[in-house]
Amino acid sequence: MTSETLRGLVLVVEDERAISDLLRMYLTREGFGVHVASDGVSALSAARTMHPVAIILDVGLPGIDGTEVCRQL
């Protein structure tokens, strides 16, 4: 069994590469699988197809902002 299977997948929605890389590092170390989306449209698509156990969502995203992504989810 992989750690992703044990802890689940976290969707990180963040357009700042340094922040998403840091979150990926911490979450991976804690045994989570991580998928990063950098905009609202990609986030909605990933959330609907991947069914993450948690979503870390930036509010200030290009295009559809985080508040609208949250409302649509």
Side-chain angles (χ1 to χ4, degrees):
M1 223 174 214
T2 67
S3 59
E4 183 177 336
T5 304
L6 293 175
R7 303 297 302 260
L9 177 73
V10 175
L11 174 58
V12 173
V13 186
E14 174 59 63
D15 59 329
E16 293 288 332
R17 177 81 186 254
I19 296 171
S20 64
D21 286 348
L22 185 64
L23 288 166
R24 181 192 301 270
M25 181 185 71
Y26 283 126
L27 290 164
T28 301
R29 185 171 30 186
E30 292 301 316
F32 292 95
V34 178
H35 179 80
V36 176
S38 59
D39 61 71
V41 172
S42 299
L44 287 169
S45 176
R48 290 177 177 142
T49 60
M50 297 180 168
H51 307 287
V53 297
I55 300 173
I56 299 175
L57 180 58
D58 182 15
V59 175
L61 296 169
I64 301 172
D65 67 18
T67 303
E68 180 61 19
V69 170
C70 188
R71 188 191 70 71
Q72 289 189 34
L73 290 173

